[in-house]
Each structure stands twice: as C-alpha cells, then as structure tokens.
Amino acid sequence: MGMQRRFGWASLAAATTMALAAGVTAAPAAHSADDPVQIVVDGNDVRADNVNGLTYKGLGLLSCNSTSNLLMDYKAEHPDRYWQLVRVLFGGRNPLINHVKIEMGSDTNTSTGSDPATMRTADELADASRSPGFQLAADAKTVNQDLKVSILRWVMPQWVQTEWNKGTGTDEMYKWYKETILDAYQKYGYMVDYVDPDTNETTKPDISFVKWYKNALANDTEFADPRYGLTPRQQLAAAKAYHAVKIVASDENTTKNIGPAMLTDTELFGMVDAVGYHYTTDDRLDGTPDSATYRPYTKLATGANAHGQDKEVWYSEGVGSFGWTDYRVDNTEGPGGASTGIGGVQSALDLANRSVKGYANSKRTHYIFQPAIGAFYEGAQYSHKELVSARDPWSGSIHYDAAVYVMQHFTQFAKTGWENAGNTAGIWRTVPEASYSGVSGTENVDGSNGAPSYLTLADPKKKDFSTIAVNDSDRTKTYRIRAENMDLGGDPAMEVWETRAADPGQAYDANFKHLAAQLGPDDDGFYTYTVKPRSIVTFTTLDRSHDKAARQRLPRSTARTVLDTDASGKGHDTRDSVLYADDFGYEEEGRVQVGTGNGARKASQPYLASRGGQPRYLVDQTGAWEVGKDADGDNVLHQYLDQSMKDTGAWNRNTPNTTVGDFRWENYRASVDVSFPDPRGGAATLGVRQQKGMAATDAAYSVGIGPDGGWTLSRYGTVLRTGTVAASDGYRLAVEARGANVTAYVDGRAVATYTDPAPVTGGRVKLGTDFHRTAFDDLKVEKVAGYTPYATALTDNMDGSVEYAGAWSRNASLGDAMNWYRTTSTGTAAGATVTIPFRGTGVDVIGGNDGSAVLDVSVDGRPVVRDARTVATDKRQATYSLRGLPDGRHTATFTLKSGKIVLDAFTSISGDVDGRVDTTPLRSALKAVGTPHRDDWTAGSWALFASARTAARAAVSGQRGLDTLGVEQLAARLGAAYAGLVREEG
C-alpha cells in the first residue's frame, strides 16, 4: 500500500458513493460428503491487483504472557539448538512463520504468566530487551529480514492505567508505545511494522483512540529526545520508518464490530490497514447482503466495498496443536473406538481446517498462533497448546510437533508474505472460487463429517498453483482439479505431498510430509487423486520432488534431562548434593549472541544485558522479577512491583510469584535469602513441590515471613503452623520435603514440622512476595540424604511404549490443560491391564483420581502387590506409588481389580541416593515374618510372599538405589504378604 493509501484517508470521502465492485465473491457450491470434489482453478480468478486482502501472508506467532520466557535460556545454554529453532521456524526460501506479534507486558498475568513491562514508571527509560518477544523478533530477522513485527497491549502499566482511567491517558499510552518501539529500533535495528492501539480482545473497539493514535503517529516529528538514545543519523531513519508503521484493529474475540465500522466510517477505513479477530473462523452474516454487517470481512478483503480497496484480514490469534501429536494417535475417539490418527478436534488437522475455513468463510489470509512456541513451564494455564515445546533449557530438549509438517503444507508450496509497494514481490494470491470448507464448528472445528475442505493459492503471474486439501474424517475423499486460463508451461505434471499417521509397523513419522504421487491431467484436463482418511495433502504444479527443503525432516527430540547441576547452577552434575543454585551474579555465564541491524548481523552481549536483567530459568506468573543491585552493589533478585504499581488490571490476579526448577524434583531442601528494602513493608515466601497453577499458593508446601519476624508454614496456602522470630531486615528461609514429612527453617533453625496424610510428592520451587519491593539471593536446592531426589522421566499414558489390554477409553480431544499433553486413558472394567516399561527404582501412576481403583501389581512378571488401594488425587499427582525395586530396567503391569482408574502419565524414579539409608525397618519385618514353610500355604498367596521376602532380603544385602521410602514400602509389602498367606486345605 503506497503513501497515498496510508495517509490520504480524507480523499476517500467521495468514494462512499461508488457502486460496490462486482459483489462479494461467492464460495463454491457445497459438496455432498460422498461425491468427488471438483475444483476449477481459473487464472481469471487470480487477482494480481489485490495486494492486501488476497495475498497469502502465511503464519505468525504471538509472544506474550511468559510463553517465550525460557527461550532466552535456551539461547544462553544451548545456542546451537536455539539458532536451529530460529532457522526451522523463520528461515529458508519458504518460511513457516512470517510475523512475530508481541503483546506488551505489564508485569501482570493475562494468560499463562506475566511478561515484563518495558516501562514500569513514566520516568523509566524503555527497555525492550526485558521482553523475550522483541529479542525473538530480532533473532528471527537474521534469517528473514522481511519478517513482520507487530505490537498490541492488553493490560497497561500502572502509570498509564491511572491516567487512562481519568479519561486523560492518551499521551501516556502513546509515550509507552513510542518509547518501546524506538528502544527496540535502537537496540535491534528494526521498526515495528504494525501497532494495534486498542486493547487486546476488546468487545467494543475504541475507534476514537485508534483515530487519535493514527494521527499522533503520522504527525510526530520528535525523535531527538535524549530518552530515545538515537544518534542524529538514526533519528532520520527512525522518523521515516516510524511514519510507515501501519495500524491493525481491533483484535476482538467474541465480537466482530470493527469490520462493519470500517465499512461505514470513511476516515477509519483510511486509517486502518489490517483487521484481525480471534478464535472463530466465521464472518458476520447478519443484515441484508448489501449491509455493512453482512460478510464485512469478506468485503474488506476482496475490495467489494464502497471504497473499492482491499484490506488485510487476519486470524489474529488462534491456537496451536493441543498436546503432542505423538501422544494423540493412539486415541479411541474414532468410529467404533478407532484412532483418529493426527486428526480429531484440537489436533494438527484441526489447525489446518481452521486455516482453510477461516479463509473460506471470512477471507483471513494470515493465522497467528498463541503460542507457536511453548517456552514456559507446564502446569500453567493453557499448557500444551503449541507447535514447538521448549521447556527444559538446561537439557536443550526441543520438541517439534507433527503439526509443523501439517502447517508446512500451506507455506512450502507457495510464496507467502506481504506484497511490496510496486507489486513485484510475487506473493501468491488466494483464490476464493477454488477454496471451500464444509467442516463443522467455528473454533474447534470438526472434519469428521467428511465434507471437503480446501484452499487454493496461485502465483500472480498464473504460472503455478497449489491446493491444500484436509480430510479429517475416517473416509476417503476424491479430488478432481483442473486448471483453466493458467500458463503452466510445457510440463503440466502435478505433485501430491501428503502428511498422515503411520501405518501399522511403520515408524511414527513415516508418512509426514512426503511426496505421495505425481499426476498428469486426464483427457478432460483433470488431475484426480483420492485423499486418504485423517490426512492433509498439497496438490502443486511446482516441481519440489528434488527440493531439499521440502524433504527436510524436523530436528529429533532429545532427552529431557532432569535439572541437577553443580554449585554454580550452570554445569550438569549428578554426583554432588546440589540440585540447583543461583546467586544471581552469573559470572559463570558467557556472552550471548543477539540479532541486530534489522537482522543484518549478530552482536555479542553480556549475559544480563542481553536479556534486560531477567534471571535464569525463572518463569514469572505475576510480578516484576529482575536482577538488580542491592545496597552493597551486589546482584540480587528483586521483585519490583510495589504499592504504586499493583493496581493494574489482570486476567489472573495474584500476588507476585515466580517459578523455577524441574517438575520431577521430589525429595529436596530449598533455601533462599530474603530481605525487605521497601520501608513500607513486605513479605516473602518460599515454596516447594509446585506442579500446576499460577499463584504462590500453588506450591504444595511453603514458608512465609515478613520483616516483623512472623512466619507461617502452609499447605497450598492453608496455614498449618505459625510463629515468630526476632524482627530483621532479612532471613534465610528453607523448606525440606522428605516423602510425607515437611520441615520449615528460619535462619537455619527448624521452626515447624508437618506430616501430610495425603502428601504431594513432587514439583518445582516457588518464590513469592506481596506488593512491596523484595529481594532474594543465594537460592539453593539440595538433595536430602537417604532419599531419592527426583524422577528421571515422565511417560505419557499414550506413549507408544505403554501397552493396554482390556477395555480402555483413551482420549485427547478437548483434553484438560492440567493433564500431561491433554491426554488420559480411563479404565472401569475389572481385568483391564496397563504395562509400562521404565528404568529406575520405582514408578508413580499419575492422574486425577477418586481413589476407588484397586490394583494388582506385578514387576518383571512376578507379583508384587495384590489389592493395592489408590488414593484420591488432584491432576498431576500420584494416585499410586511403587518403590524399592533394584535400580535398572523393569516392566510393571497394573491390573484393575475394581473401581475406576484415570491414567495421565507414569514417572520413573531415580536410583541416585546420597548418604546412609537405614534398613532397620526392613530387617525388623524380616525377623517378624520368620521362616514359614512353603507347603503350608496356597500357591497364589505363597508366590506373593516369596516375592516380597526375596525383594526384602536383597535390599538389606546392599541394593543399589534403595532409599528410605523404598525401605518403608518393602517392609509394608512384606508384612501385607505375610498377613495374606492362605493355608493350604488338606
């Protein structure tokens, strides 16, 4: 769009009397579910002159709400993996992601966590480097300088909010936006391409402010203010780029009001370049066909409006793949209990259908994932809703979901992006007449009805085209495609690229994005192909059969190594007593590469400077957690959100808290120094065993204290013990969790103990404050002598290694975010079994349960427990725990005797045990059972007793990996087996 279109909105007034262009392009006629789908790709329908609405921009990602936080740790800890991720997502001739959208943070939680505010006060200089989104965009630019960057807000910092509430905050809002934009420009060399001035997910677009902001941006001539840090030369370039920033509106969710407003408001139409809305594929359909409320977004995109101009229409926030496709394919949600493969509601094929239907129904040519990258700890709201998972920066493990292959079907067989001002970039156009979707639903779409769903993209010169067809049903679907008025050259061959689940006996990814067929037209000019069930195919006239990028496999996932470091917190070390440590100095960290110069180069920066003072591995749920200097000039962790900043809005309102560590940690002691530099007050908490939730009270056990010396020991926020120590400016807090026993310490002295009758067995560390500036230093997490410190691995209930027999319901669609990977397997039929291979000294059965299930347990083919009771548990907790096995490879089988069992995951327990383990309880149990004679007892009861006794004897003889909990379980199993001996009748 040229300058006249951007700034000449007043001249559009005369255009309101223009007749509508030929009318809104109608979709193809609906198809019968069983008929072949006939598509005609007519070159006369390829609108090369439509440079905004029908150009296919491809995919974008949203960085916000802590979803990108751990990426900066990946970059520092495993730069090779990080930069590989950048290349996979943003690089190459056909990038998967063309746009980074940044929701500006306010230190408050508006979804899964909080992102830092770039300006916490009106006087503070903006610091875009605090936000991982701005840096991700800078790094992505190193492989794609054409990448677009946009910003919007949801919640404002307090200094803006205060004035906004008075109705006088436009200048403050503008200052926040402008100084953040210019700081990113100064640091990284790129200018934001789009701004949405309105609030995220509004229901009532603030049209007056959108207009005010556009005028302010267009007429701003001040770029020399020293606050901006721009040299005179930079000022000229910044001014030119700043005035070219485009406006997007209005990121609505449940409403669609900005489209009709633009069609009826000439001034607004001229000011807004792109419109976007969330979580629905549909246009508005109310009113008469010639009204502004009937297909307004289609009218905007096609140019069939009174202004005769086309506008960009975005699906400006949508979901990624729910869970991991790896763990969906063994579901029982298809007809007759069959698998839906890579399909089903909220699957990879669902994403594809959302993109297709979003275009077919409302002409959205850009889909933005929230998020595309999940780089935050699991257990926060909306976990497992992404294309790429990056949650263990210490291990470098990154999981690329099969949904990446699925979405590459849209981006690798077309030239995607934004057309240039001269209309010479060759961006492919969408073809409305050759695109359609009959799948059901508007957000979570369902293709099981077998209806056609396809999108056609074409070269504006009409030399090539690609049609993406999605079949998320259990039936085949035949497509017949013909080209008319296209210049396909002398070789009219068509390639068919396919992605679907593996056939029996194949590797999991055997059928991911591969060349499935090469077709020639028949005598009538049709290319005919039958699309398999639960698959996506791209029909393309491009020759990609020998293209390395098209055949490139995604990087393989590596092991999610547990966080167990040396005393520096940097090096992996399982031999010492430390699990993790952070003194917030980071002398052990090296320099970090950051994209600068609008992607032209990378600059080496000091660790903390590169990330705006953000601490290592912490994922903030609420609050401003940042490394700064204490009174002595040493680095400490501060929580800066105080009484003057606390009243910002937030979706999830909590007191400040942040999370660090590994969900597999179990028995450990966490300690930290706390101090209270705010003379008006303060409070600090240290929590352990956090698995899910976004509040400080979501740590299972925590100790809290204030400067008056009053302390509390709490379980999930419920106070268990209280007391007082001498008032002080600072304390050393510690919590030690050993099995069911929890001890709180203040300054090295045990102040309270608690034995939990229903213990929470594992999770991360939480730090929390109230709304006062509070300081933390020397965080340390240590192993406890005589106890296994952690589980080494988690196996999902739908992992391919887990075997089921009998009746089970195995579900993934619409799964709960608090279940691992959103999957569960549920058994209610007596005799149903599940077998899990693992390595370690025990296994935990994880899942939210009511405690009704009774199990028989065998290990390596030998009985271990009969009629074992499960316990009622919340999600992500152990409903049954098995301990005391020799450290090594095992196979455990659980047989449901009665009740209901919900399986979410299994964790295998480490054999790493420090210190002496007291086996006295086990020796006493052996002595108590004596030496009963085999012939006196029935074979079944004796087999269980003999197995328990053999295990007990082996353990007291020096069993590798034995810990205190294992001793307790072995003794209990031996006693129960002895009590269960049944005399042989004779």
Side-chain angles (χ1 to χ4, degrees):
M1 182 181 288
M3 288 291 288
Q4 184 175 2
R5 289 193 179 183
R6 279 203 299 273
F7 300 123
W9 52 81
S11 66
L12 291 176
T16 57
T17 59
M18 293 175 56
L20 286 176
V24 177
T25 302
H31 303 269
S32 165
D34 298 321
D35 290 342
V37 182
Q38 187 163 297
I39 304 171
V40 175
V41 181
D42 190 336
N44 294 330
D45 295 329
V46 180
R47 295 167 177 79
D49 59 338
N50 185 309
V51 298
N52 301 305
L54 298 183
T55 45
Y56 191 65
K57 293 120 196 117
L59 308 174
L61 68 78
L62 177 57
S63 177
C64 64
N65 314 127
S66 81
T67 57
S68 301
N69 279 23
L70 294 174
L71 282 180
M72 297 304 97
D73 296 304
Y74 272 90
K75 178 155 69 165
E77 301 286 331
H78 294 276
D80 54 336
R81 303 274 176 82
Y82 174 82
W83 291 105
Q84 180 185 56
L85 179 148
V86 168
R87 292 191 299 273
V88 168
L89 293 186
F90 305 103
R93 181 175 61 178
N94 299 95
L96 180 74
I97 303 292
N98 287 322
H99 173 199
V100 173
K101 175 182 174 181
I102 303 163
E103 188 176 297
M104 297 215 294
S106 61
D107 299 312
T108 52
N109 188 322
T110 49
S111 184
T112 55
S114 62
D115 265 9
T118 56
M119 295 175 66
R120 296 194 173 109
T121 67
D123 296 330
E124 183 182 33
L125 296 179
D127 188 354
S129 67
R130 290 173 178 163
S131 170
F134 284 102
Q135 192 167 149
L136 177 63
D139 294 341
K141 287 254 184 191
T142 65
V143 296
N144 179 11
Q145 288 191 320
D146 293 329
L147 179 97
K148 300 297 182 185
V149 183
S150 69
I151 64 170
L152 82 164
R153 63 179 164 92
W154 195 347
V155 176
M156 316 167 207
Q158 180 67 44
W159 63 276
V160 181
Q161 183 76 63
T162 299
E163 297 305 316
W164 190 262
N165 290 346
K166 298 175 183 177
T168 58
T170 53
D171 289 342
E172 287 76 12
M173 187 77 75
Y174 185 79
K175 177 179 181 178
W176 178 37
Y177 285 171
K178 178 183 178 181
E179 295 196 13
T180 298
I181 291 169
L182 293 183
D183 186 65
Y185 181 82
Q186 190 272 333
K187 283 185 168 75
Y188 304 123
Y190 66 79
M191 180 59 65
V192 164
D193 297 284
Y194 292 86
V195 174
D196 182 350
D198 208 349
T199 186
N200 180 55
E201 297 201 338
T202 181
T203 57
K204 297 179 180 179
D206 191 343
I207 291 170
S208 63
F209 181 64
V210 171
K211 292 179 178 179
W212 182 95
Y213 182 86
K214 175 64 178 182
N215 278 313
L217 186 150
N219 296 307
D220 194 340
T221 59
E222 176 53 73
F223 295 90
D225 192 318
R227 291 180 59 85
Y228 307 151
L230 300 173
T231 65
R233 181 176 181 180
Q234 288 176 320
Q235 292 166 21
L236 294 174
K240 181 179 179 180
Y242 187 77
H243 290 141
V245 171
K246 297 182 178 182
I247 300 298
V248 57
S250 59
D251 279 279
E252 294 171 76
N253 185 6
T254 59
T255 56
K256 309 184 191 85
N257 293 320
I258 193 67
M262 287 181 61
L263 292 174
T264 55
D265 186 328
T266 300
E267 184 182 34
L268 182 68
F269 185 94
M271 290 181 167
V272 175
D273 302 280
V275 295
Y277 56 104
H278 304 176
Y279 301 116
T280 178
T281 54
D282 284 356
D283 208 328
R284 282 185 67 165
L285 297 173
D286 46 309
T288 60
D290 61 347
S291 71
T293 55
Y294 187 82
R295 297 193 184 278
Y297 298 94
T298 299
K299 290 172 180 174
L300 287 169
T302 60
N305 54 66
H307 310 289
Q309 294 185 22
D310 55 278
K311 296 286 187 178
E312 299 179 37
V313 183
W314 298 354
Y315 198 130
S316 54
E317 183 175 323
V319 299
S321 182
F322 282 72
W324 287 11
T325 300
D326 315 38
Y327 300 146
R328 293 183 61 101
V329 296
D330 288 329
N331 65 66
T332 59
E333 296 171 321
S339 166
T340 61
I342 64 170
V345 176
Q346 297 184 337
S347 67
L349 293 184
D350 179 336
L351 298 189
N353 269 327
R354 289 173 203 242
S355 294
V356 173
K357 191 170 184 178
Y359 176 76
N361 283 20
S362 50
K363 302 302 173 285
R364 252 88 68 82
T365 55
H366 186 38
Y367 188 101
I368 302 174
F369 291 103
Q370 201 294 85
I373 307 171
F376 60 100
Y377 293 132
E378 299 99 330
Q381 188 167 250
Y382 303 127
S383 296
H384 304 301
K385 189 188 72 170
E386 65 268 347
L387 305 183
V388 179
S389 299
R391 293 189 163 94
D392 300 318
W394 48 86
S395 73
S397 179
I398 297 177
H399 174 81
Y400 295 85
D401 193 80
V404 174
Y405 288 116
V406 168
M407 299 315 296
Q408 284 176 343
H409 279 265
F410 294 85
T411 62
Q412 286 199 334
F413 305 97
K415 185 170 184 179
T416 66
W418 277 256
E419 191 52 84
N420 61 29
N423 196 14
T424 60
I427 304 302
W428 283 28
R429 272 44 170 187
T430 54
V431 185
E433 295 82 357
S435 303
Y436 171 81
S437 183
V439 300
S440 63
T442 58
E443 179 187 352
N444 296 316
V445 298
D446 183 357
S448 63
N449 61 7
S453 186
Y454 56 91
L455 169 66
T456 298
L457 312 173
D459 170 18
K461 294 183 179 180
K462 309 179 184 182
K463 294 183 178 297
D464 283 293
F465 72 92
S466 296
T467 297
I468 305 101
V470 188
N471 181 15
D472 191 7
S473 78
D474 62 314
R475 291 164 278 178
T476 59
K477 176 63 65 177
T478 298
Y479 280 80
R480 302 186 73 238
I481 304 174
R482 186 175 68 189
E484 295 181 356
N485 301 310
M486 296 287 290
D487 182 15
L488 301 183
D491 181 11
M494 173 177 281
E495 296 177 356
V496 182
W497 290 78
E498 175 193 64
T499 294
R500 58 186 175 87
D503 293 327
Q506 287 185 319
Y508 162 73
D509 60 351
N511 297 321
F512 290 170
K513 206 190 68 186
H514 66 286
L515 181 61
Q518 292 181 301
L519 308 176
D522 62 17
D523 292 342
D524 294 327
F526 281 96
Y527 302 88
T528 302
Y529 187 80
T530 298
V531 178
K532 293 181 174 65
R534 309 293 182 182
S535 70
I536 180 172
V537 300
T538 297
F539 303 97
T540 184
T541 58
L542 294 170
D543 182 4
R544 293 293 169 85
S545 59
H546 301 291
D547 183 62
K548 182 179 179 181
R551 292 184 175 275
Q552 182 68 44
R553 298 292 87 185
L554 294 171
R556 294 282 185 180
S557 299
T558 55
R560 298 185 67 179
T561 308
V562 72
L563 179 56
D564 186 351
T565 74
D566 57 24
S568 73
K570 175 71 171 177
H572 183 68
D573 187 353
T574 62
R575 296 166 298 177
D576 64 2
S577 63
V578 175
L579 279 178
Y580 182 61
D582 195 345
D583 64 5
F584 306 105
Y586 302 119
E587 290 83 1
E588 69 278 2
E589 295 287 356
R591 296 176 69 87
V592 178
Q593 296 290 307
V594 177
T596 58
N598 193 34
R601 58 191 176 276
K602 297 176 186 175
S604 175
Q605 297 182 357
Y607 180 80
L608 280 173
S610 76
R611 50 199 287 143
Q614 300 305 294
R616 180 174 60 201
Y617 297 166
L618 265 65
V619 175
D620 302 342
Q621 267 67 55
T622 296
W625 299 85
E626 193 167 301
V627 176
K629 300 295 183 182
D630 65 8
D632 297 324
D634 296 324
N635 279 358
V636 298
L637 173 67
H638 289 282
Q639 194 295 111
Y640 285 104
L641 211 60
D642 62 16
Q643 294 292 303
S644 70
M645 308 174 189
K646 73 174 185 177
D647 290 326
T648 56
W651 191 4
N652 302 302
R653 294 187 69 86
N654 287 303
T655 54
N657 69 99
T658 189
T659 310
V660 64
D662 199 305
F663 71 90
R664 292 164 291 192
W665 286 348
E666 293 197 351
N667 303 294
Y668 60 90
R669 176 190 176 111
S671 59
V672 70
D673 290 335
V674 300
S675 57
F676 308 99
D678 189 337
R680 293 171 295 179
T685 61
L686 169 66
V688 300
R689 292 182 174 173
Q690 181 270 349
Q691 280 288 356
K692 63 185 182 69
M694 298 179 293
T697 54
D698 289 313
Y701 312 102
S702 61
V703 60
I705 200 165
D708 63 355
W711 59 263
T712 59
L713 172 64
S714 302
R715 185 187 191 275
Y716 284 129
T718 299
V719 175
L720 304 170
R721 308 279 190 273
T722 62
T724 303
V725 297
S728 176
D729 292 334
Y731 306 93
R732 179 87 183 160
L733 298 182
V735 184
E736 184 175 277
R738 298 172 290 112
N741 301 307
V742 180
T743 305
Y745 298 84
V746 177
D747 291 336
R749 181 172 68 88
V751 294
T753 60
Y754 172 67
T755 300
D756 195 340
V760 178
T761 57
R764 306 178 186 91
V765 168
K766 274 273 192 187
L767 303 178
T769 73
D770 61 3
F771 288 99
H772 291 89
R773 181 176 173 182
T774 309
F776 297 80
D777 200 7
D778 290 324
L779 172 67
K780 184 174 287 188
V781 185
E782 300 170 277
K783 301 172 184 177
V784 177
Y787 287 82
T788 297
Y790 44 68
T792 53
L794 178 139
T795 303
D796 190 70
N797 71 94
M798 285 201 194
D799 187 270
S801 67
V802 183
E803 297 180 2
Y804 291 85
W808 292 89
S809 175
R810 312 187 66 201
N811 302 307
S813 294
L814 302 172
D816 192 311
M818 293 304 103
N819 289 322
W820 282 99
Y821 307 108
R822 295 181 180 255
T823 65
T824 54
S825 294
T826 302
T828 57
T833 67
V834 58
T835 301
I836 168 74
F838 65 96
R839 180 167 190 164
T841 61
V843 63
D844 284 347
V845 180
I846 307 296
N849 278 276
D850 60 12
S852 65
V854 177
L855 307 172
D856 281 352
V857 184
S858 64
V859 175
D860 302 330
R862 293 184 296 275
V864 173
V865 184
R866 289 207 180 107
D867 297 324
R869 305 292 309 189
T870 57
V871 296
T873 49
D874 196 2
K875 293 179 173 65
R876 295 186 185 250
Q877 299 298 332
T879 191
Y880 180 79
S881 295
L882 179 67
R883 296 287 191 275
L885 304 177
D887 191 14
R889 296 187 181 277
H890 302 283
T891 299
T893 298
F894 301 91
T895 301
L896 181 63
K897 297 289 290 294
S898 62
K900 174 185 176 181
I901 184 76
V902 178
L903 303 178
D904 180 10
F906 306 88
T907 51
S908 50
I909 308 304
S910 168
D912 176 15
V913 181
D914 292 348
R916 178 179 175 273
V917 177
D918 184 5
T919 59
T920 300
L922 197 50
R923 296 176 187 277
S924 298
L926 282 166
K927 183 177 180 180
V929 301
T931 55
H933 195 275
R934 161 69 184 86
D935 294 339
D936 293 337
W937 313 99
T938 61
S941 65
W942 181 261
L944 184 63
F945 172 77
S947 175
R949 186 172 62 176
T950 298
R953 287 172 173 172
V956 298
S957 297
Q959 180 171 293
R960 187 179 64 176
L962 183 67
D963 80 334
T964 301
L965 298 180
V967 168
E968 293 172 359
Q969 277 209 16
L970 285 166
R973 291 203 294 265
L974 178 58
Y978 179 70
L981 283 172
V982 178
R983 286 199 175 272
E984 187 75 65
E985 296 181 4

